[in-house]
């Protein structure tokens, strides 16, 4: 495998990467998926808001995707990319963490992101069980329960989240946690039925109010304790863009995200990106769709390369592992 030239290498084995891999393999392009095995939704119990896949465990989702990739002739290797470069002939070389090097005519990066949580003792331990971030993924499951929203460095998102959770419950407390909330925002939230609590959160622990159905306790530096059944927080998204930036992909000066067009193409010929690495808000279904769209665009690009090569050499040049 180290000496082969693949038509395409997909980096990332989540929804975007596996969807892309299946599309490319079905189109008869020799496709390798390099899968680090750490999907963003791995800690969650279920996938939601994905038509026909609602309630599926993330582990089952990825296992099914891997089976589909193999069925169509795609190859998957469990590894991570530690270095990459673009050769003078336009092909890409990726060095893996097992010291192998793989080469390809095109690359799709679908490495996702890391959710950076506020540094509050007891918070990360409850991530994806009692602590959530996406109301569209988990709000329905906690409807009607006591909910607390904790402010984070994503201030505007936190305030919006506090209002949105009121759609799911009549008992929503917004622990502002030191972020700036204007008087107008406070008025709107209060009028909408959201309780606002000032002070910084110092710790998340088990509540003594188990009889009242509130197993989680949020401790504040004011001495107050807020008990609830579920916590929502807006983590800071940290896209895993190292491969893209090493290859010179352009980034947006405002958002810092790698810039791609509507089909996932970067400014580097032969390089695409899809999923949370370029769109932190993409749910599983959106990431899968973006991976599929990018792969379809890649097939056109690869075909164009082969047509040009055929004209130059006066003989058919059909891709595949060589």
């Amino acid at each position: 495998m180290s000496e082969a030239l693949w038509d395409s290498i997909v980096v990332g084995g989540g929804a975007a990467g596996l969807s892309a891999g299946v599309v490319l393999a079905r189109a008869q392009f020799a496709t390798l998926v390099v899968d680090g095995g750490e999907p963003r939704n791995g800690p969650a119990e279920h996938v939601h808001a994905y038509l026909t896949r609602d309630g599926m465990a993330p582990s089952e989702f990825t296992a099914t995707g891997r089976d589909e990739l193999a069925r169509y002739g795609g190859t998957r290797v469990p590894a991570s990319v530690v270095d990459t470069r673009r050769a003078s002939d336009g092909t890409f070389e990726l060095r893996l963490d097992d010291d192998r090097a793989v080469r390809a005519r095109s690359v799709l990066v679908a490495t996702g992101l890391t959710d950076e949580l506020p540094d509050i003792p007891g918070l990360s331990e409850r991530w994806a069980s009692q602590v959530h971030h996406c109301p569209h993924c988990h709000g329905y499951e906690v409807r009607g329960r006591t909910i607390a929203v904790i402010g984070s460095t994503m201030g505007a998102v936190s305030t919006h989240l506090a209002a949105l959770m009121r759609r799911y419950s009549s008992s929503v407390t917004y622990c502002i946690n030191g972020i700036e909330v204007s008087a107008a925002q406070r008025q709107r939230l209060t009028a909408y039925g959201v309780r606002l609590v000032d002070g910084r959160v110092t710790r998340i622990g088990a509540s003594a109010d188990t009889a009242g159905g509130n197993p989680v306790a949020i401790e504040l530096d004011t001495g107050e304790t807020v008990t609830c059944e579920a916590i929502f927080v807006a983590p800071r998204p940290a896209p895993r863009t190292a491969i893209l930036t090493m290859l010179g992909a352009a980034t947006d000066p405002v958002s810092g995200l790698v810039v791609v067009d509507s089909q996932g193409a970067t400014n580097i010929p032969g390089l695409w990106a899809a999923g949370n690495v370029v769109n932190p808000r993409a749910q599983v279904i959106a990431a899968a769709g973006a991976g599929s769209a990018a792969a379809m665009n890649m097939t056109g690009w690869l075909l164009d390369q082969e047509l040009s090569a055929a004209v130059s050499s006066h003989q058919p040049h059909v891709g595949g592992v060589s």
Side-chain angles (χ1 to χ4, degrees), residues 37 65 125 188 245 263 269 275 299 308 313:
E125 294 90 327
R188 285 162 62 87
T245 53
Q263 303 301 311
T299 65
S308 297
S313 62

Side-chain angles (χ1 to χ4, degrees), residues 4-8 28-31 105 302 306 317-322:
L5 177 65
W6 298 85
D7 290 326
S8 54
Q28 303 298 285
F29 288 102
T31 302
R105 299 163 57 200
L302 288 164
E306 293 180 0
H317 178 82
V318 180
V321 176
S322 59

Side-chain angles (χ1 to χ4, degrees), residues 91-258:
T91 59
F92 299 87
E93 181 178 300
L94 287 70
R95 186 158 296 280
L96 308 184
D97 56 2
D98 57 11
D99 289 332
R100 284 183 291 181
V102 290
R103 299 185 302 125
R105 299 163 57 200
S106 64
V107 170
L108 169 67
V109 177
T111 43
L113 61 77
T114 299
D115 289 301
E116 296 183 349
L117 295 170
D119 186 16
I120 300 172
L123 188 69
S124 61
E125 294 90 327
R126 293 171 171 79
W127 181 240
S129 58
Q130 295 170 318
V131 177
H132 313 283
H133 79 287
C134 176
H136 303 292
C137 302
H138 307 290
Y140 185 84
E141 282 61 46
V142 298
R143 68 195 185 283
R145 301 180 187 177
T146 51
I147 297 171
V149 175
I150 297 176
S152 71
T153 55
M154 305 295 289
V157 180
S158 299
T159 300
H160 173 73
L161 184 58
L164 188 55
M165 293 316 303
R166 181 64 180 81
R167 299 286 307 162
Y168 297 92
S169 171
S170 60
S171 177
V172 176
T173 300
Y174 184 17
C175 299
I176 295 174
N177 196 31
I179 71 171
E180 184 178 344
V181 181
S182 69
Q185 289 173 321
R186 287 173 179 265
Q187 183 181 34
R188 285 162 62 87
L189 288 170
T190 301
Y192 200 52
V194 177
R195 176 184 173 228
L196 274 64
V197 175
D198 287 298
R200 291 188 176 274
V201 176
T202 58
R203 192 176 78 91
I204 310 295
S207 170
D209 184 26
T210 53
N214 295 318
V216 186
I218 302 172
E219 299 177 10
L220 306 171
D221 62 2
T222 60
E224 184 176 357
T225 298
V226 174
T227 60
C228 63
E229 294 175 86
I231 294 173
F232 280 77
V233 64
R236 178 184 176 275
R240 300 168 183 154
T241 58
I243 298 170
L244 293 162
T245 53
M246 277 192 284
L247 290 170
T251 58
D252 184 279
V254 177
S255 68
L257 296 172
V258 168

